[in-house]
């Protein structure tokens, strides 16, 4: 009996050792819904209350968070690397890269959410999860509850951020369909995800420099009435950081996350070449029609695509860290 007990002890010890070694060798835990349920039960409610207030003051704050998630996840994965400020050791982080500077906004809103969470549960909620929760809440609030989903969490914050990376992975709004699809496929997303997530262009504003040269100054399929309106708003030589006003992306329902974007694509009343590109293949054109036609169809797909995007190359377990300040890595 004693020998059996001794053998069992050895087996248990071996199993524990294997588990420990296995965990260290593979420090990946899947994200989970309700990750903060025990560690910081109010975490998601805190994010939502800050987001509700911010969007009531300016709906553009919601659009900024959805774009922030995209720009974070496509570069180094969803690890809040886009939030890091320059330092003497890292003078050119992602936020100073042309796809982000000067148009990416919402950094102060992330700071406000982080401050509220640090007051409630110090050192617990990652900045990467804050970005994901904020984008989820923005989607829900701006859709008047029609886009309503649970966002898995447990992401950890990255420690690397370099301005050369966004240029590799965030393709410009002048892109054609094959470039757009390729940029999604390399991140584990597919053509349908591209079409569905493009629907976020139903909210927010765009700088004129993102479309003037290829949509207004050269022949394009843009609706003549919209083109005339935009020429009245935008200088022909609009350049980032210079004389570069903003215009609504969706003039029909500018502050509502809805399927209007797809109707705009069909009527050639979208701003970007990358929007119009969705009509350049039979497959994507069919998706545009489906998303625009059926109530609830796009919303359900947008929920799934947002969760999928928010899971790109995440850091979990022993990887990364939980930043105390979203703009700076922790130095131990």
């Amino acid at each position: 009996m004693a020998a059996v007990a001794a053998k069992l002890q050895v087996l248990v010890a071996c199993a524990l050792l294997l588990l420990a070694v296995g965990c260290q060798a593979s420090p990946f835990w899947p994200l989970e819904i309700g990750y903060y349920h025990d560690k910081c039960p109010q975490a998601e409610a805190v994010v939502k209350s800050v987001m509700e207030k911010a969007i009531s003051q300016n709906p553009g704050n919601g659009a900024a968070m959805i774009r922030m998630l995209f720009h974070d996840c496509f570069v180094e994965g969803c690890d809040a690397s886009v939030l890091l400020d320059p330092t003497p050791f890292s003078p050119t982080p992602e936020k100073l890269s042309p796809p982000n500077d000067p148009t990416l906004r919402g950094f102060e809103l992330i700071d406000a959410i982080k401050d509220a969470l640090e007051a409630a549960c110090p050192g617990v909620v990652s900045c990467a999860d804050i970005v994901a929760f904020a984008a989820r809440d923005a989607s829900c609030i701006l859709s008047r509850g029609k886009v309503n989903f649970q966002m898995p969490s447990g992401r950890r914050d990255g420690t690397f951020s370099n301005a050369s990376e966004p240029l590799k992975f965030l393709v410009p709004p002048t892109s054609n369909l094959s470039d757009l699809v390729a940029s999604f496929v390399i991140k584990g997303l597919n053509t349908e995800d591209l079409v569905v997530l493009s629907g976020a262009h139903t909210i927010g504003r765009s700088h004129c420099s993102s479309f003037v040269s290829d949509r207004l100054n050269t022949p394009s399929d843009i609706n003549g009435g919209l083109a005339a309106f935009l020429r009245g708003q935008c200088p022909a030589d609009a350049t980032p950081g210079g004389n570069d006003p903003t215009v609504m992306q969706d003039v029909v329902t500018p502050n509502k996350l809805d399927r209007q974007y797809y109707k705009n694509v069909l009527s050639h009343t979208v701003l970007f070449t990358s929007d119009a590109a969705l009509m350049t293949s039979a497959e994507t054109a069919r998706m545009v029609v489906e998303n625009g036609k059926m109530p609830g169809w796009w919303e359900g797909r947008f929920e799934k695509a947002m969760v999928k995007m928010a899971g790109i190359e995440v850091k979990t377990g022993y990887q990364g860290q939980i930043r105390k300040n979203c703009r700076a890595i922790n130095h131990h």
Side-chain angles (χ1 to χ4, degrees), residues 32-145:
E32 55 185 284
I33 288 165
Y35 176 82
Y36 294 106
H37 182 269
D38 298 326
K39 304 176 182 189
C40 184
Q42 66 272 53
E44 295 191 44
V46 168
V47 178
K48 187 154 197 180
S49 82
V50 177
M51 286 304 300
E52 283 173 338
K53 186 179 172 196
I55 290 173
S56 71
Q57 290 167 346
N58 176 3
N61 286 324
M65 291 299 100
I66 295 172
R67 184 169 182 240
M68 178 88 76
L69 181 68
F70 168 45
H71 282 230
D72 183 31
C73 293
F74 266 56
V75 184
E76 297 296 319
C78 311
D79 69 345
S81 52
V82 74
L83 304 178
L84 291 171
D85 277 349
T87 67
F89 302 103
S90 176
T92 55
E94 285 170 38
K95 63 164 57 166
L96 297 185
S97 187
N100 296 328
D101 183 30
T103 60
L104 196 67
R105 23 187 307 274
F107 298 108
E108 294 78 12
L109 181 49
I110 295 290
D111 293 338
I113 297 170
K114 181 64 169 170
D115 289 348
L117 284 168
E118 286 300 299
C121 317
V124 174
V125 183
S126 69
C127 300
D129 278 341
I130 291 172
V131 173
F133 289 147
R136 183 269 311 270
D137 293 335
S139 304
C140 183
I141 297 162
L142 291 171
S143 68
R144 318 295 193 263

Side-chain angles (χ1 to χ4, degrees), residues 44 132 135-137 139-140 147-152 299 302-304 306-307:
E44 295 191 44
R136 183 269 311 270
D137 293 335
S139 304
C140 183
V147 172
N148 193 355
F149 60 98
Q150 291 189 297
M151 177 60 85
E299 287 84 352
F302 187 74
E303 293 168 356
K304 290 184 179 68
M306 284 287 279
V307 170

Side-chain angles (χ1 to χ4, degrees), residues 147-212:
V147 172
N148 193 355
F149 60 98
Q150 291 189 297
M151 177 60 85
S153 50
R155 297 165 193 79
R156 289 171 67 86
D157 299 325
T159 55
F160 173 80
S161 182
N162 190 285
S164 64
E165 298 298 299
L167 293 165
K168 296 177 194 170
F169 299 109
L170 295 169
V171 297
T174 52
S175 302
N176 63 28
L177 185 60
S178 59
D179 288 345
L180 293 164
V181 171
S183 75
F184 271 61
V185 168
I186 204 168
K187 293 298 171 185
L189 304 182
N190 60 31
T191 304
E192 186 181 27
D193 297 321
L194 164 68
V195 175
V196 166
L197 290 168
S198 294
H201 289 170
T202 179
I203 48 165
R205 303 179 72 89
S206 166
H207 283 261
C208 293
S209 60
S210 295
F211 59 83
V212 160

Side-chain angles (χ1 to χ4, degrees), residues 172-177 180 194 197-202 206 211 215 221 249 261-262 264-266 269-280 284 288:
T174 52
S175 302
N176 63 28
L177 185 60
L180 293 164
L194 164 68
L197 290 168
S198 294
H201 289 170
T202 179
S206 166
F211 59 83
R215 298 284 280 162
D221 72 346
Q249 296 233 56
Y261 168 79
Y262 299 99
N264 296 347
V265 172
L266 290 166
T269 52
V270 281
L271 297 183
F272 302 147
T273 295
S274 58
D275 296 323
L278 301 184
M279 294 305 290
T280 60
T284 53
V288 168

